Amino acid sequence: MLEAVQLTKTYDDITAVDHLSLKIEPGEIFCLLGPNGAGKTTTINLFLGFAEPDSGIATVNGLDVRQHPLETKRHLAYIPEQVMLYKNLTGLENLEYLTALAGHDDYSLADLMGFLAQTDLPEEAATRRVSTYSKGMRQKVGIAIALAKRARALLLDEPTSGLDPSASFEFSQLLRKLSEQGVAVLMATHDLFRAIDVGTRVGLMRRGKLVEMLTTDELEHPDLERLYLKLMRGENVAA
């Protein structure tokens, strides 16, 4: 569903993504780990078409993002660290408006409320202004938008940063639901515990390179922490 082939992006003299090759299948939750500046956000931006690669290709559902920028976006939903919603609108109004912008303007009120209910957003919150929402509640509206958009892939950039343990757990549950529906998930994160808990695979990234890729079945949290700390120190993680 998501594939990078020798994907490279430089800014001035800094190589943000260095010959990245990666494939994420439908229903897979791939957690991309690495220190700040490792290239995680740039990787996501390349799939979104927010940045253009110097070489290599990023594909969504078999389509080259550079050649098909609009069509590939129809298959994607994106949730950044801070979900951007219209604060003076309710959660329901945001869902209706942003879903219509994506070309889905035929949903009934019951349909829209159903999408919000799938994210476990309290019913009373749906008709409150987003300015009263917690970060976790805004993320739930973001997930509802992905559901309504029928997104086949979800891109997440530090989605659990700043969430309390309860909200982080609820977010993981939502990702599992999407995975069960066949959605491919690429999540850039620093949250090692959450990566082990919800991910099917993890990739360790440093200075633009994907230096290690493992299934979570192979790892316990102490193992991933050890590998990550080696990565932070610039050591060979395979050692």
Side-chain angles (χ1 to χ4, degrees):
M1 183 60 210
L2 296 172
E3 186 171 11
V5 180
Q6 293 295 302
L7 198 59
T8 301
K9 177 64 180 177
T10 59
Y11 294 100
D12 297 324
D13 59 345
I14 297 173
T15 302
V17 174
D18 191 354
H19 295 87
L20 173 68
S21 291
L22 170 68
K23 189 173 185 179
I24 303 170
E25 301 288 355
E28 186 173 13
I29 301 175
F30 188 95
C31 297
L32 194 57
L33 300 168
N36 292 333
K40 304 186 300 297
T41 296
T42 300
T43 298
I44 288 175
N45 286 341
L46 288 166
F47 277 112
L48 289 167
F50 293 169
E52 188 168 315
D54 297 306
S55 62
I57 61 171
T59 67
V60 177
N61 198 31
L63 297 172
D64 187 327
V65 172
R66 185 162 39 181
Q67 295 180 5
H68 304 276
L70 294 180
E71 190 170 352
T72 53
K73 284 184 177 65
R74 294 190 184 102
H75 296 297
L76 298 174
Y78 170 52
I79 298 181
E81 184 175 350
Q82 297 294 333
V83 178
M84 301 304 293
L85 299 171
Y86 293 96
K87 293 182 179 181
N88 290 328
L89 299 181
T90 66
L92 177 61
E93 289 168 340
N94 269 280
L95 174 60
E96 181 178 24
Y97 177 65
L98 294 172
T99 301
L101 284 181
H104 300 279
D105 56 0
D106 55 347
Y107 288 126
S108 67
L109 175 62
D111 291 332
L112 295 169
M113 289 296 290
F115 291 126
L116 291 169
Q118 287 183 58
T119 71
D120 295 322
L121 184 76
E123 186 173 351
E124 59 82 21
T127 54
R128 279 200 281 116
R129 289 186 178 185
V130 165
S131 59
T132 68
Y133 282 17
S134 66
K135 178 180 178 180
M137 293 168 71
R138 292 195 302 273
Q139 286 181 325
K140 289 180 178 181
V141 175
I143 293 288
I145 292 168
L147 290 168
K149 191 180 176 183
R150 303 189 188 102
R152 301 186 62 182
L154 182 61
L155 303 175
L156 307 163
D157 196 355
E158 302 293 350
T160 58
S161 174
L163 292 182
D164 63 40
S166 177
S168 186
F169 173 78
E170 289 179 355
F171 190 76
S172 293
Q173 294 293 94
L174 290 176
L175 292 187
R176 290 190 183 95
K177 287 181 183 179
L178 290 171
S179 173
E180 290 167 2
Q181 295 174 22
V183 176
V185 178
L186 172 60
M187 179 168 67
T189 182
H190 287 112
D191 190 339
L192 304 186
F193 175 82
R194 200 57 53 193
I196 287 287
D197 180 55
V198 75
T200 53
R201 280 192 298 159
V202 296
L204 300 180
M205 199 169 190
R206 180 174 182 267
R207 295 179 181 173
K209 288 183 176 292
L210 190 61
V211 296
E212 188 74 27
M213 192 156 49
L214 298 161
T215 67
T216 51
D217 290 340
E218 300 176 76
L219 291 167
E220 298 289 342
H221 182 267
D223 301 321
L224 183 57
E225 185 175 48
R226 175 181 57 80
L227 290 173
Y228 186 82
L229 290 174
K230 281 191 171 186
L231 173 72
M232 292 287 285
R233 292 193 294 263
E235 299 176 21
N236 182 1
V237 295

